[in-house]
Amino acid sequence: MKYLYSFSAFKPGPRKLWPGALLACSILLIISGCKKDLVSADSGNSKEFVLELPSGTTTIIKGIEGGDSIKANIRIPGEPAGFDTADYHFVWTNLNTHDTISHRSYLTYGDFENQDPASIPCLLTVTEKTTGKSKLANTSVFLTTATREGWVLLGDKSGTAKLSVLTYTANGYKKFIDIESELGIHLPITGKPVSLNNIGADIPWGLSPYQWMGLTTDKEIKFFRSMDFMVNEDITGYLNQTMVPTETSPVVLNVSGESSFVGTQDNKVYRFVTFYMSYFGIYAHDMFSTSPPLEPGAPAFKASPVHTLTGPGWLATEFNRFLYDMENYEFVRAHAQGNSNVNGVFPLNLPFSKNGFLPKAMNTKMEGMIDEDLITAFLYNPVTEEGYVIEFLSNAILKSVKKMNSADAKEVAGSPFIEINTSTNYLVYTKGNQVKAYDYKMGQAINLLTFANETISLIKMQRYTPGMVRTPGRQAVYNELFKRLVVCTYDPANPDNSGIFRQYELPLGHQLPVKEAEETGFPKIVDVTFNPMP
C-alpha cells in the first residue's frame, strides 16, 4: 500500500530515538530536495547529463505493503527521457556521519532501517562510468512515523474502543481508519472508550525523545508511545491499580506538564509523574484534591471534574492545577512546582456568593514564564439558574465578571460539551444538532453550525502547553492549529462507519466557522487529541 503526497515547509529538527522502535512502525519519509549540479573534469566531447532530485518536498507514507522510494533522475538535454542505471555509479552519503547509505539510484526507508528518526542531510554523487564525469546533489531526509504528528481519534465501534489516525501534512491530513490493517499497529484495547489525551514526555526539561499518550475505557487504562503505539506495561499496570476504571466510575486523563499528567475519577484528582515511573520504578503519585493539596494523609475534598492547568512561573515544562471544591464552593490552587506555600483555597473575591455555583468549563491562556496566566471560568447555579463568566489572573487579580441571561446560562450549562475560546471570547457548546457560541463579552448567543441528519458526538479545542515542543518551526504551527475547533458527528443509524471529523477556524466578529478539513468513515468518535512532535 503506497501513498505519495506533496509536502512543503516542514523541516523538523533531529531527535534521538531508539532504533529498535522503528521496526514495527509505519514510516513517513519527508524528503526536501535542493539541487546542486557540480561538474567534475570535462571528458572531451561527451554529452552533458543533468542530475535531478524531486523538486520541493515529497511525503511518503509506507504502509504494510510496498516500498516507496525517492529516485534520482538523469537526463541528457535534447534526448528522450529515461536512462540506464547500469551506465552510472551512485553513492548516497549521510552528511551527519559521513557513512555511505546506498549505491542504488534511489532511497527507501530500508536504507535507514538502523537510523533513528531524525533530519538527515544526504549527498548524492553520480558518476558516468565511461567518462568519469560526476554530478552532485544535496537532499535532506526526515524520518518519522505516521503516528508521530497528527490527530489520534478514539472511536466506539460496536461498544469497543478503536483508534484511528490523521497524519499531519502541510497539504492536509492522511487518513488511517484501521491502524492495524493499514499501519500494522496492534494496540490491544478492551472496553468502551472514555478519554484520550496527549500527556507529554517521560523526561522533563526537553530531554525526552518521545511523546506519550493515555487512553481510558470503562475497563482499563493504556499508556503508550505516540511514535509507534508501544505500550509501557509498567506504567499501564500501575495506573490500572491506582485508578480502577469501571463503567460507573470512569477515568479521564489530562495533560499537566511535560512529564506529568492528571487522572480524574470519582471527584478525586491524581497527579502522576512519568519520569519517576519510567526510569526509577517509583510509582509516585500525588492527590491534588486534598486539603491542603499534595499533602500526604491530608483529607480529600470533593473536586469538580472540571479543572485547568496554570504555569508554575519559573519552569515551563511542569504545570500546576486550579481545582474547584464542590462542597465549599471554592477555587483551590495545587502547586506541584513552585511555591507550595500558596497551596489551598484560592483567594478570589467575587461580587457574588459562590455558594451553589459549580464550574461547567474552565480554560487557561498561558502567558509564558510569568505566573500571571489568565483563567476563564463559566460558573452555573442549577438551583437559581444563574450563570457567570469570570476572568482572573493566577496571581488572584480579578479581571472581569459577566452575568449571563438566565435562559442563555441554562442552555449553555445543559450542553454535554462546552469549550472556552479566549480568542473570540466564546463559550462554544452544542444544542441538539447545532454548534452554538455565547459571546461572553457581548452577552449574545449565535448559531455557528447545523448538521441536519447527523448527531454531534464531540466538540473540542485542543489544549496547548508552551515549552513542550522543541522541534524547529513546530511551535508556530501548533499555536495556530490548537486554536481550531474540532467537531465530530455520526449517523445514528450507522454509528460504526459514519463518524466524521471536521476542523474549523473560528473567525472574529461573529462570522461563520471556516472549514479547513473533513475526513469521513470512522467509527463514532468519542474523543480526539493532537499529538505534537517533541
Side-chain angles (χ1 to χ4, degrees), residues 3-210:
Y3 304 96
L4 182 62
Y5 288 88
S6 174
F7 196 98
S8 61
F10 184 47
K11 297 182 179 179
R15 310 298 308 160
K16 181 66 176 173
L17 298 180
W18 299 337
L22 300 177
L23 299 180
C25 297
S26 300
I27 299 301
L28 176 66
L29 275 169
I30 301 176
I31 307 290
S32 175
C34 177
K35 292 188 293 183
K36 288 185 179 179
D37 292 341
L38 304 178
V39 182
S40 65
D42 197 342
S43 301
N45 296 322
S46 64
K47 295 181 179 180
E48 292 283 351
F49 70 90
V50 177
L51 171 61
E52 297 176 331
L53 292 177
S55 61
T57 309
T58 304
T59 299
I60 298 177
I61 301 175
K62 181 183 177 185
I64 59 175
E65 297 178 5
D68 294 305
S69 62
I70 301 301
K71 296 181 180 179
N73 181 49
I74 295 174
R75 63 179 178 86
I76 299 175
E79 295 195 2
F83 67 99
D84 187 352
T85 58
D87 294 338
Y88 301 90
H89 180 66
F90 301 87
V91 179
W92 294 85
T93 304
N94 182 331
L95 293 179
N96 282 337
T97 63
H98 303 289
D99 294 332
T100 299
I101 303 171
S102 172
H103 288 288
R104 299 187 303 270
S105 62
Y106 56 90
L107 291 177
T108 70
Y109 171 71
D111 295 316
F112 300 94
E113 186 170 341
N114 295 319
Q115 168 70 51
D116 297 346
S119 181
I120 306 167
C122 299
L123 173 68
L124 172 61
T125 304
V126 178
T127 304
E128 190 176 23
K129 293 179 180 179
T130 58
T131 65
K133 182 174 294 186
S134 295
K135 297 272 183 160
L136 290 81
N138 291 335
T139 189
S140 178
V141 178
F142 179 67
L143 298 176
T144 185
T145 68
T147 62
R148 195 171 181 224
E149 183 181 45
W151 291 101
V152 183
L153 286 60
L154 177 62
D156 184 337
K157 189 165 186 175
S158 301
T160 301
K162 296 292 183 181
L163 284 180
S164 302
V165 174
L166 290 173
T167 300
Y168 177 79
T169 76
N171 294 323
Y173 298 112
K174 172 57 194 169
K175 175 174 60 178
F176 297 101
I177 296 176
D178 186 334
I179 60 172
E180 183 161 7
S181 64
E182 297 177 71
L183 294 175
I185 295 176
H186 177 62
L187 182 68
I189 311 171
T190 60
K192 297 179 181 179
V194 174
S195 75
L196 178 70
N197 221 306
N198 172 275
I199 51 182
D202 52 6
I203 311 177
W205 314 298
L207 300 177
S208 177
Y210 301 121

Side-chain angles (χ1 to χ4, degrees), residues 202-224:
D202 52 6
I203 311 177
W205 314 298
L207 300 177
S208 177
Y210 301 121
Q211 289 286 89
W212 291 85
M213 304 184 70
L215 180 156
T216 67
T217 72
D218 62 353
K219 294 185 182 299
E220 64 175 347
I221 303 171
K222 290 286 186 184
F223 184 79
F224 57 95

